Amino acid sequence: MKPKIYVARAVFDDVLARLREHFEVSDNPSDQVGTPAELSARLQGQVGAFITGSERIDAELLDAHPQLKAVCNMAVGYNNIDVPACTARGVIATNTPDVLTETTADFGFALMMATARRIAESEHFLRRGAWTKWSYDMFTGSDIHGATLGVLGMGRIGQAIARRGALGFGMKVIYHNRSRLDAATEADLKASYVDKDMLLREADHLVLVLPYSSASHHAIGAAELALMKPTATLTNIARGGIVDDAALAAALARGQIAAAGLDVFEGEPALNPALLNVPNVVLTPHIASATVATRRAMANLAADNLIAALGFGPNAGRPPTPINSEVLKPTA
Ligand code: DGY
């Protein structure tokens, strides 16, 4: 008898077919996001779960399902998983790093540019028939080339954004991160390490690429926004909750900073309604990794992880991208 797994959200048919080669699969073709109680009900008797950021895996859920051996996230961010709780119960947790780095960096750059050059705001103006003449100061924004790019969180995606800024657009790159990069990587990226206050004060365009945790909750709030230049832009492609969205909406409304680009929101898919009432913000629905090729790569990597974690395929017992590898049995 094949082991049972639950695929919590709709996914590519061929990825489901790969999983069915090894497992008895319960899936969710209607793609409804379940409540925690519904998720728990669907995990009855399942030894593996293919999940996304919408599914929360916590101690209570794990205690209700001691048969669960692997939770495999189709996302690089894993703030939806209580990793210490998984580790304490011997449950392997995996994510999908690397395969989305360049795609997500492309989007971060695009959102930053759209924000600085007021692309969404001017398009809305045109669509509502408000364009009657050319004017010298119509939708003037700020330059990207030659400006100072600030990166908060210098992991893989932060580095890919820094590379685009320095090498593609001649930007001066400054960054802040929990740990400083080694000198060779800094030189390669042409990036200088600064403290967080300096980053906020100096950046013309600040991009957030740090993971969400209790330590990064509201890392950008009223006090931080007050340090930024009135001409600066802020782009968040990391996670909702890193920015205090109410404080940001207020700062945008009073012109404390020039504009913001947001792909992620506190409590998404709900939005703070104040963000809908300010014109100088570009809003997108958490799509930074959304190209067909990258979403396919993410789904296949999550499937590879689940197949290997449950002891099948060429990597049996060695999922390619574990988060808590200490749970895995040491190789002989
Ligand atoms: C990720 O991979 O973390 C993206 O934000 C999609 O959830």
Side-chain angles (χ1 to χ4, degrees):
M1 221 172 56
K2 291 177 177 173
K4 293 182 176 178
I5 65 156
Y6 178 54
V7 177
R9 300 291 307 282
V11 73
F12 301 98
D13 285 345
D14 54 308
V15 175
L16 273 179
R18 284 187 61 210
L19 292 168
R20 286 199 170 101
E21 285 171 22
H22 305 282
F23 307 120
E24 186 180 324
V25 176
S26 301
D27 65 341
N28 177 10
S30 69
D31 202 32
Q32 258 191 331
V33 180
T35 62
E38 286 165 343
L39 176 62
S40 185
R42 289 170 191 163
L43 284 173
Q44 289 302 333
Q46 315 284 353
V47 294
F50 181 114
I51 57 168
T52 71
S54 316
E55 286 71 49
R56 169 114 198 105
I57 305 293
D58 57 18
E60 193 184 333
L61 186 86
L62 294 167
D63 285 341
H65 298 284
Q67 82 290 346
L68 199 57
K69 300 274 174 288
V71 289
C72 297
N73 217 23
M74 185 183 148
V76 64
Y78 50 83
N79 54 300
N80 57 315
I81 302 176
D82 181 339
V83 178
C86 287
T87 306
R89 290 156 183 80
V91 175
I92 183 75
T94 67
N95 67 338
T96 57
D98 301 319
V99 292
L100 48 58
T101 301
E102 299 302 328
T103 295
T104 305
D106 282 352
F107 187 87
F109 222 85
L111 188 56
M112 177 182 78
M113 292 187 79
T115 301
R117 296 302 307 274
R118 305 176 66 179
I119 288 177
E121 193 184 348
S122 59
E123 203 230 10
H124 294 156
F125 167 87
L126 187 149
R127 281 182 188 271
R128 68 173 180 267
W131 188 27
T132 55
K133 62 181 190 311
W134 182 93
S135 312
Y136 79 98
D137 62 349
M138 189 168 65
F139 292 108
T140 46
S142 59
D143 280 323
I144 297 292
H145 72 273
T148 297
L149 170 64
V151 182
L152 184 56
M154 201 55 141
R156 286 168 284 234
I157 298 170
Q159 291 179 36
I161 289 174
R163 194 170 290 112
R164 281 159 177 74
L167 305 183
F169 289 79
M171 299 179 87
K172 174 182 171 189
V173 179
I174 55 177
Y175 77 97
H176 182 73
N177 196 42
R178 270 176 310 185
S179 46
R180 187 169 173 173
L181 298 175
D182 60 69
T185 309
E186 281 188 356
D188 178 44
L189 297 171
K190 301 187 195 313
S192 306
Y193 181 82
V194 293
D195 67 30
K196 186 177 166 192
D197 280 8
M198 171 95 90
L199 185 82
L200 294 165
R201 287 184 213 280
E202 297 285 316
D204 294 311
H205 304 293
L206 177 64
V207 182
L208 308 181
V209 212
L210 64 169
Y212 179 78
S213 67
S214 52
S216 62
H217 181 73
H218 286 188
I220 302 292
E224 289 76 18
L225 291 162
L227 294 180
M228 293 177 68
K229 298 178 185 179
T231 50
T233 72
L234 171 71
T235 298
N236 186 9
I237 57 164
R239 276 291 182 269
I242 291 174
V243 174
D244 176 343
D245 285 349
L248 175 61
L252 290 167
R254 61 174 177 267
Q256 191 171 24
I257 66 169
L262 304 176
D263 187 48
V264 288
F265 304 89
E266 284 189 282
E268 64 183 51
L271 294 198
N272 185 319
L275 288 170
L276 298 172
N277 296 326
V278 283
N280 46 344
V281 61
V282 185
L283 306 168
T284 54
H286 202 147
I287 56 168
S289 64
T291 65
V292 177
T294 291
R295 286 288 164 85
R296 292 193 70 81
M298 291 165 68
N300 274 303
L301 179 52
D304 291 345
N305 275 317
L306 192 46
I307 291 165
L310 294 178
F312 295 91
N315 303 318
R318 319 279 352 140
T321 51
I323 301 166
N324 55 349
S325 54
E326 61 271 36
V327 162
L328 300 171
K329 292 198 179 70
T331 41

